[in-house]
Amino acid sequence: MTRLSGSAGVLRDGSSELASEANNRKADIADGGGDEDAEDGDEDDDEDDAWSAKELSLLPNILGILKVALNTASKSGQLLGTIKSDVDPTVFDSLPEIGEGMCADSDDLICASYAPIDLPEVARLAASLRAKCEAMLSVNKTILGLASSAEVPSWVALLERAAEHNEVKLRTALEGHGA
């Protein structure tokens, strides 16, 4: 459970940093700080490392899939904390590995999302992250099925739909950007 909680913490930190950087860039553009499409010629050398308005439009979709991964890891950690000792512990052996894979993919996705955005890599990593979220949710369903005869909680279905929605939305946005 500690490894899973650590994965959630890394996901939270990376997502927060990317969102903060995006908000700073949006404020910079709103304040007239420039865009790579601007024609004033006085742009700083740092502008090469800044998101364009087109790239900024991708970030909500990227942050969406990262948020799904974070919530999936967090909910899985909470679920593990509620499991009674009569459940076979081998059922959740794969969760830490999946969590570490989610963490690695999220970190790579965040790195690929900084300017200039690596569009093909973002698409590949978002699909991989979605698959890992679905794998973790599948383990959660198994655990819930073993832990009680109750219906699977709505958060599992919500996160499944959110993983698909955000990855498809990002893929569609990337196709619009030529990826």
Side-chain angles (χ1 to χ4, degrees), residues 33-107:
D35 184 2
E36 72 179 22
D37 298 330
E39 297 181 18
D40 62 8
D42 291 342
E43 297 174 16
D44 296 323
D45 291 336
D46 291 340
E47 289 297 312
D48 292 337
D49 294 332
W51 289 295
S52 68
K54 290 178 185 177
E55 288 176 319
L56 277 172
S57 71
L58 295 172
L59 292 178
N61 299 317
I62 293 168
L63 290 168
I65 192 74
L66 289 167
K67 185 175 182 180
V68 170
L70 169 62
N71 288 329
T72 300
S74 295
K75 283 292 198 179
S76 295
Q78 291 171 7
L79 177 62
L80 287 178
T82 65
I83 299 301
K84 295 185 171 86
S85 61
D86 60 340
V87 176
D88 179 10
T90 61
V91 172
F92 23 83
D93 282 350
S94 62
L95 283 178
E97 288 177 36
I98 296 169
E100 288 172 2
M102 286 172 59
C103 184
D105 280 356
S106 295
D107 192 43

Side-chain angles (χ1 to χ4, degrees), residues 11 13 29 53 68 72 83 101 107 113 137 150 164 173 179:
L11 289 167
D13 292 347
I29 289 173
V68 170
T72 300
I83 299 301
D107 192 43
S113 299
L137 290 168
E164 177 183 10

Side-chain angles (χ1 to χ4, degrees), residues 51 62 106-119 121-122 125:
W51 289 295
I62 293 168
S106 295
D107 192 43
D108 291 346
L109 178 57
I110 289 166
C111 289
S113 299
Y114 280 95
I117 293 180
D118 184 345
L119 300 177
E121 186 67 357
V122 164
L125 290 164

